[in-house]
Amino acid sequence: MQNIYNYTLDELEEFFLANGSKKFHALQLFLWLYDKRVKTFDEMSNLSHDMIQLLKSSFSIDRIQIVDKQEEEDVCKYLFELYDGEHVEAVLMKHDYGKSVCVSSQVGCNMGCRFCESGRRKKVRNLETYEMVLQILMIEELLGERISHVVVMGIGEPFDNYQNLIHFFQIINHPKGLAIGARHITVSTCGLVPKILEFSDFPLQVNLAVSLHAPNNEIRNQIMPINKVYPLEEVFDALKYYFQKTNRRITFEYILLKGINDSEENAIQLSNLVKDMNCYINLIPYNETNNIDFKRTNTIQIMKFYDILKKNHINVTIRREFGGNINAACGQLRSIKEDL
Ligand code: SAH
C-alpha cells in the first residue's frame, strides 16, 4: 500500500475525483497531514466515515522512526529507521537566518566518490518520497519550530532518484504542505547530465549545486568515477542549458583535498573553467574520516586558493563547518549503528 505522504495535492485531488468524490477533500486531507499533523485517518473529523474507510483501504499513514539523536551546539543529527529496518540520517543546522535540514535521498549511494564516507555503502534502494518528506516534518515536530531551508545533500545521489525527488519538492514547497520556499531549497548532484537537462525544465525555482571537486577531467576521473560517464565538458554544456532555461545561478562545491586538487595551479585552472558561468564556488574543507586516506588542506593553503579565485573575480565562499564532532559533517553521514 502506498504511503499518504507520497502524494502531491494534485494527485490527491485526482484520487478523490476518480472515486466519485469532490476534489476539495484533498485540501482537507492535506491540512490534516501538514497543518494539524494528525497521525491517523480516524482523527480527520471533517471527512465522512466512508471517506475515512476509503483512505484506510487505499493508503498507509505510517511514519519513519527517529531512533537516535546526537546534538552539538548548533547542529543535531537524527538517525531514522525505515519500514525495512534500513537507516538514514538527516542533519539540522541552526543558522542566524533560520534552520536548515540536510536530507538523505537514498539508502547508500552508487556514485563511488573516493573521498566520501557516505558512499562506501552501495545503494540499497531509493528513498520513497514520504521518507524524505517525513525527515523534515518529524524534525519540525520534535523542535516545535518551522524549518526554513532544505538541502538535499545527505546520503545518496538525489538525481539518481529523480521522480521521488521531484514529488518531494512539490510537497514541501506547497503553501498548504510544508510551505518551504523553492529558493530556500537546494539539491546537490555529482553531475548526472541527463537529469540536469531534465531539471532545467522543472518549474519550481529550486537551487542547483554541483559537486565539482576538480578543475580538470584528469583529477576528476581519479576521485569521481561518474566523470568517466559524464566528463566536465558534458556537465558544463548541461549547466549552460540549465542557465539558459532558468536564469539561476549555480553553486559549485569544491572540496579541498591535500595534494590532490588544492595547488595554486589548480586554483587558476578552476578560475578558467568557471569564468563564463553565472556561479559561485563553495570551498569545502575536507572532513577526514578513519576509513579514507585523503587529507584536509591546511588553512593557509585554503586561503591561498581562495585568494586566487577572488583575484580572478570568481564568487567564492568557504563553507562554514557544522557537526564535525558528531560525524554529521559533509560526507560523514554513515550510521555507526550499522557498523559497516
Ligand atoms: N550525491 C550528491 C549529494 C551529496 S552532497 C552530490 O554528490 O552532490 C554531499 C556533499 O558533500 C557533496 O558535495 C560531497 O562531494 C561532499 N563530501 C563528501 N565527502 C566529504 C567529506 N569527507 N568532506 C567534505 N565534503 C564531503
Side-chain angles (χ1 to χ4, degrees), residues 102-103 105-106 109 111 113-119 151-160 187-192 209-213 220 224 226 252-257 282 284-289 292 294 296 319 321 329-333:
C102 175
V103 304
S105 57
Q106 298 179 319
C109 180
M111 299 302 126
C113 299
R114 304 265 184 261
F115 47 79
C116 182
E117 171 73 11
S118 314
V151 295
V152 191
M153 297 190 181
I155 298 171
E157 167 49 47
F159 278 3
D160 185 35
V187 57
S188 177
T189 179
C190 63
L192 301 186
V210 175
S211 292
L212 190 59
H213 307 329
R220 205 163 188 263
M224 296 178 71
I226 193 67
F252 287 115
E253 296 153 280
Y254 194 102
I255 305 174
L256 287 159
L257 300 165
N282 205 200
I284 309 177
Y286 182 58
N287 295 307
E288 295 179 7
T289 72
I292 301 175
F294 292 107
R296 168 193 284 249
R319 181 174 285 176
E321 293 186 80
C330 303
Q332 289 189 327
L333 293 183

